[in-house]
Amino acid sequence: MGKRLFKKVKYLLNCFIDIIFPPAHTCVLCGRKLENRSKYILCTACLTQFESLKLNDFMNFYMPNKEVYKYCDSVSYAFEYRGIVCDMVRNLKYEDKKEYASAMALMIEDEIKSTHRKYDIIVNVPSYNKKKKERGYNQSQLLAVELSNITNIPYKNLLIKIKDTKSQVLCDGYIRWYNVKDAFECRENLKGESILIVDDVITTGATVYYCAKALKEAGAGYVGAASFAKTNIDKKAY
Ligand SMILES: [Zn+2]
């Protein structure tokens, strides 16, 4: 039997075995075997930890700077940046845990579903080029693409970074606003589309503000922003 044919037969046999004996699903975070099929691929113990970190609209302390709403029509975020949420963001960003992106995107989806807004396009916040080069990927893009797969809303790489900026991590408070001032551009003509900007963490809202500005200037009709986590200036995000 030829090598190629053998490979094909082996592949088909494995598919057949998977159908009869489905592989055990394990929690994407802690590796525990999942007893029930979980939408997020997370075990009950891990999911419980997210409950206390859920943010609601009345927690003004965590609202972005009001300035954001000049260009952003809505801003939503799923969790407070603390505990398991903080670990997930950091592991996706620095530890190459790309497998977290799908669970995180599902949680962002829950958040945007509650707003009942229909979006035409999903975009991501462009990364700081140097960082993307070091890491090989942009975590906001991973989340945006996953969210697009889940929701069937097309993903487009519309935003380009046109200014060299320092990482926001290194900036405090209002310096964050100056750092990303007019740093983004959208070179496509938008015709009143409704756009959703996805990011992993929103701090002051400065980055989504200038992303939304670029999209509105390119003709976007509505711009919403959604992130997995929200923090504030006092509690540093990184
Ligand atoms: Zn778990």
Side-chain angles (χ1 to χ4, degrees), residues 29 40 62 66-67 73 96 99 130 137 148 152 172 225:
L29 277 176
Y40 310 99
Y62 285 103
K66 287 206 164 45
E67 189 84 356
D73 298 288
D96 208 27
E99 64 272 27
K130 212 176 132 202
Y137 63 94
S148 162
N152 286 323
D172 261 325

Side-chain angles (χ1 to χ4, degrees), residues 26-32 34 41-47 49 84:
T26 52
C27 173
V28 77
L29 277 176
C30 69
R32 274 194 203 103
L34 295 179
I41 330 168
L42 294 172
C43 70
T44 319
C46 285
L47 271 176
Q49 294 183 58
I84 200 166

Side-chain angles (χ1 to χ4, degrees), residues 71 73 117 190-195 215-216 218-223:
Y71 292 108
D73 298 288
R117 164 132 317 252
L190 302 170
K191 298 175 184 79
E193 282 102 328
S194 190
I195 318 269
L215 293 165
K216 282 275 171 80
Y222 182 98
V223 177

